């Protein structure tokens, strides 16, 4: 494939392969303020909430970083359900408040975030127009890599953030995190909201 050919070329030169023209064009679509969005979700075979199907992804946590301009520091906003009730409505209201009405919303593998936002429309149909506006503002960072705009031999043919992050930002690592992946986050969430789990844990 075209991507595999680019990966082979990056391997042969021993480093980065960058399409500067397309990178500049892609980045030109970003508008301030910029928001960086990520969800954590849980899915269960036997749903605990109304209007939820088996193994449906239910977002219980949202993380948003905002950069007001090119020189500003990141400001962090977070939502985490700790009560065990259906978290979708309060999470949707949190997002509508924090993400505002303008600026680019950046996500990695953004089809996941878009799908969760589409599902939230069913929870707050009166906010459909505003949620669709959020979806329209999403910019997928993964496409810089999946479209072959930037390739590195150490991606090893993958655009997974777990492959890309250590190459692009070697000072950051999933190994330093107590919860290292989405599956573990789901398990810890279910443990946290379980009635037998003490507040100290």
């Amino acid at each position: 494939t075209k991507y595999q050919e680019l990966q082979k070329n990056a391997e042969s030169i021993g480093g980065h392969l960058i399409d500067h023209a397309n990178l500049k064009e892609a980045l030109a679509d970003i508008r301030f303020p910029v928001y960086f969005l990520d969800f954590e979700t849980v899915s269960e075979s036997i749903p605990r909430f109304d209007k939820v199907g088996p193994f449906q992804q239910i977002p219980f946590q949202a993380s948003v970083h905002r950069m007001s301009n090119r020189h500003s520091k990141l400001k962090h906003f977070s939502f985490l359900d700790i009560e065990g009730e259906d978290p979708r409505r309060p999470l949707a209201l949190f997002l509508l408040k924090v993400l505002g009405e303008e600026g680019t919303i950046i996500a990695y593998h953004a089809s996941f975030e878009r799908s969760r936002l589409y599902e939230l429309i069913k929870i707050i149909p009166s906010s459909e127009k505003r949620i669709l506006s959020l979806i329209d503002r999403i910019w997928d960072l993964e496409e810089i890599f999946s479209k072959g705009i930037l390739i590195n031999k150490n991606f090893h043919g993958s655009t997974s953030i777990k492959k890309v992050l250590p190459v692009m930002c070697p000072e950051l690592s999933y190994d330093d995190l107590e919860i290292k992946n989405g599956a573990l986050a789901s398990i810890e969430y279910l443990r946290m909201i379980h009635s037998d789990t003490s507040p100290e844990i």
Side-chain angles (χ1 to χ4, degrees), residues 21-33:
N22 279 326
L23 179 58
K24 184 177 180 179
E25 182 180 348
L27 294 177
D29 291 335
I30 297 176
R31 297 286 181 270
F32 286 99

Side-chain angles (χ1 to χ4, degrees), residues 37-100:
L37 172 64
D38 184 50
F39 289 136
E40 291 297 344
T41 62
V42 63
S43 63
E44 300 177 276
S45 56
I46 302 176
R48 66 179 64 220
F49 308 124
D50 291 339
K51 300 179 181 179
V52 176
F55 299 109
Q56 181 177 334
Q57 298 281 356
I58 302 299
F60 63 85
Q61 182 179 25
S63 174
V64 177
H65 287 81
R66 183 179 70 198
M67 180 182 286
S68 299
N69 57 64
R70 188 181 300 274
H71 305 291
S72 66
K73 293 183 178 180
L74 288 172
K75 186 172 183 179
H76 185 231
F77 305 87
S78 64
F79 172 91
L80 174 63
D81 168 59
I82 59 173
E83 302 299 330
E85 302 296 329
D86 189 339
R88 291 174 294 172
R89 182 179 177 85
L91 182 142
L93 294 174
F94 161 81
L95 292 175
L96 289 170
K97 179 180 179 181
V98 170
L99 294 173

